[in-house]
Amino acid sequence: MELWFSEYQTKNVKLSFRIKEVLYTTQSKYQKISVYETEDFGRILTLDDLVMLTTKDEFIYHEMITHVPMLTHGNAVRVLVIGGGDGGTVRELLKHPVEEIHLVEIDKEVVETSKKYFPSVSCGLTDPRVRVFYEDGIEFVKNNKGYDIVIVDSTDPIGPAVGLFSTEFYKNVSAALNENGILVAQTETPILFGDLVNKIYKDMSTVFPYTNMYTAVIPTYPGAFWTFTMGSKTVNPLSKEISSSLPDIDTKYYTKELHKSYFILPPFVKNLISE
Ligand code: SAM
């Protein structure tokens, strides 16, 4: 019997994976958590039947959401990650000389599932520089300050993540950031959810003097073309030179030679956010 997992990216678009085995599924307080072994994309983690990561291509997203802000900032030592319970963002951050990473993940069962089924992704969560808080990131940023970088590696703006896509939240993040602080958030796909991408960019622009979008190809995310939006208090990412003498970070997608070009947007995206 054929076994398939399908993600409804919209009600009219499905992405399907032929699977070898359903390894785990549970209903946590917040969402349905599932792990599948697939034929072509390794192991996949889904939340409420939406693909969060596959072991075949997760490096793209996790490298792009971390190394672009870290190298734009240049000397971030204290970083806050909101969401990111699979640990991939933390793993990439630890490739830099950071001193302290706070991971604020609302659902403890996501962390536990990733530690059990995705050791290559969650491997950084036990690093002594990392502290994990099982709390709502929306509240956490109101009461915790002094970060160089805040990364919002959240689910889509549904359920507990809705408030992570709001002007009020961006204002609270700005207050939680140090003077040269930078916020980066995963900000969805312009292929299928252009209105949302436009709204997020506009909201963030009302808070941060420098608001810039960058993109990456992510085969297993809706539209296979993804955006990240950076809010920066003092550093203009478009003028930040990444010195070639900087030690190379171990990456498979991000490259410092392309750092500034990631911010060069295709005309359809540039038009979308300037409407
Ligand atoms: N890379 C994925 C994406 O782009 O959709 C996100 C992966 S990560 C698993 C997303 C995490 O955000 C989930 O584990 C979810 O529990 C967490 N999350 C959602 N809302 C949250 C909130 N308000 N505070 C903290 N974590 C939250």
Side-chain angles (χ1 to χ4, degrees):
M1 186 192 63
E2 288 202 341
L3 262 178
W4 289 84
F5 164 74
S6 294
E7 173 192 0
Y8 276 88
Q9 296 183 345
T10 71
K11 62 181 186 341
N12 308 311
V13 178
K14 272 199 303 193
L15 173 67
S16 297
F17 300 82
R18 187 191 298 273
I19 58 175
K20 295 177 184 169
E21 190 183 348
V22 181
L23 293 174
Y24 178 67
T25 191
T26 187
Q27 183 64 41
S28 80
K29 180 182 168 195
Y30 296 96
Q31 51 216 333
K32 178 184 171 187
I33 304 171
S34 301
V35 181
Y36 301 93
E37 197 69 64
T38 74
E39 292 289 351
D40 291 357
F41 271 87
R43 201 166 274 190
I44 65 175
L45 170 70
T46 68
L47 297 180
D48 286 340
D49 295 326
L50 298 176
V51 173
M52 292 294 118
L53 69 92
T54 83
T55 51
K56 187 168 184 82
D57 71 353
E58 56 84 11
F59 65 91
I60 301 173
Y61 173 91
H62 290 125
E63 289 181 13
M64 289 303 283
I65 204 169
T66 52
H67 303 312
V68 176
M70 286 297 287
L71 292 171
T72 298
H73 186 286
N75 62 348
V77 292
R78 198 163 184 267
V79 182
L80 169 62
V81 179
I82 294 173
D86 51 70
T89 296
V90 166
R91 179 197 66 204
E92 292 303 313
L93 284 171
L94 289 169
K95 294 177 181 174
H96 297 264
V98 291
E99 291 169 9
E100 193 173 18
I101 300 172
H102 288 173
L103 177 81
V104 181
E105 164 58 61
I106 202 166
D107 191 344
K108 185 174 185 181
E109 293 196 53
V110 172
V111 174
E112 290 169 346
T113 301
S114 188
K115 283 182 176 176
K116 181 171 181 188
Y117 292 100
F118 298 92
S120 66
V121 180
S122 61
C123 50
L125 293 179
T126 50
D127 186 290
R129 290 169 286 175
V130 180
R131 272 189 69 190
V132 182
F133 301 82
Y134 298 117
E135 297 182 31
D136 182 343
I138 297 164
E139 294 308 312
F140 188 89
V141 286
K142 294 175 185 171
N143 310 308
N144 294 273
K145 314 270 179 225
Y147 295 101
D148 298 309
I149 289 180
V150 173
I151 294 176
V152 183
D153 175 9
S154 74
T155 37
D156 302 330
I158 38 184
V162 169
L164 298 173
F165 295 80
S166 72
T167 303
E168 186 203 353
F169 171 72
Y170 298 142
K171 285 178 182 165
N172 292 332
V173 168
S174 181
L177 283 167
N178 293 328
E179 186 196 350
N180 302 322
I182 289 176
L183 159 68
V184 164
Q186 73 83 0
T187 48
E188 307 290 332
T189 178
I191 302 288
L192 290 166
F193 308 124
D195 292 347
L196 175 60
V197 170
N198 174 283
K199 177 191 178 303
I200 296 167
Y201 180 80
K202 290 283 175 28
D203 288 352
M204 209 182 280
S205 302
T206 64
V207 176
F208 289 91
Y210 298 102
T211 298
N212 294 89
M213 194 166 274
Y214 61 96
T215 64
V217 172
I218 303 183
T220 53
Y221 277 7
F225 184 59
W226 210 252
T227 70
F228 303 86
T229 305
M230 178 186 287
S232 175
K233 294 172 82 168
T234 59
V235 176
N236 178 352
L238 304 185
S239 57
K240 175 80 185 206
E241 292 301 333
I242 305 301
S243 104
S244 53
S245 63
L246 214 57
D248 281 329
I249 300 164
D250 168 28
T251 56
K252 296 191 285 187
Y253 184 92
Y254 171 85
T255 171
K256 60 184 183 217
E257 285 75 18
L258 290 177
H259 183 92
K260 278 169 68 178
S261 70
Y262 293 130
F263 290 93
I264 298 170
L265 298 174
F268 87 96
V269 179
K270 206 186 297 184
N271 296 339
L272 177 70
I273 61 175
S274 55
E275 279 164 7

